Amino acid sequence: MKKNSIVFPVPASRIATFDGNAVARPKHHVAALVEWDVTLARQKIRDVKRTGQRISFNAWMIRVIDYTLQAHPQAAAFKVSRKKLVAFNGINIDMVVE
């Protein structure tokens, strides 16, 4: 039978970070605000479109996130106890577009 998840130990150096997050949880915060240069990505997408394939920037971005999470499953893991993270084999990526 195939196992559905992987359990990772939390490094001792990260436990204090989780404790700090627990203290800050009731406060107002911004989950993430990021900015990056997408010039090279847009050029690669244009090159792919010249071959006749259809690709959107959003599709490309979701695929890059997927590759990254497959390579680093701890980034999408859930904290199950003070010293354990669990990452499931399947990856779900949600994207809100306005």
Side-chain angles (χ1 to χ4, degrees):
M1 186 166 121
K2 192 173 181 181
K3 196 172 179 184
N4 292 347
S5 62
I6 304 167
V7 176
F8 296 99
V10 174
S13 62
R14 299 295 295 165
I15 291 174
T17 302
F18 289 137
D19 291 342
N21 289 341
V23 170
R25 189 173 294 129
K27 308 281 187 224
H28 296 287
H29 66 279
V30 175
L33 179 61
V34 296
E35 182 178 333
W36 61 87
D37 183 9
V38 295
T39 306
L40 182 59
R42 290 176 50 86
Q43 180 60 46
K44 287 182 179 185
I45 290 170
R46 278 193 290 275
D47 293 344
V48 169
K49 285 184 176 181
R50 287 188 191 116
T51 67
Q53 293 180 353
R54 295 180 61 190
I55 184 172
S56 70
F57 181 80
N58 287 341
W60 172 84
M61 190 166 66
I62 290 171
R63 189 60 179 142
V64 168
I65 293 168
D66 176 51
Y67 277 133
T68 303
L69 292 178
Q70 286 180 22
H72 306 281
Q74 300 93 331
F78 294 93
K79 185 177 166 200
V80 292
S81 72
R82 185 176 163 100
K83 295 186 179 185
K84 288 184 186 176
L85 298 172
V86 64
F88 296 100
N89 290 337
I91 296 172
N92 294 325
I93 301 170
D94 295 329
M95 176 181 263
V96 177
V97 179
E98 284 190 19

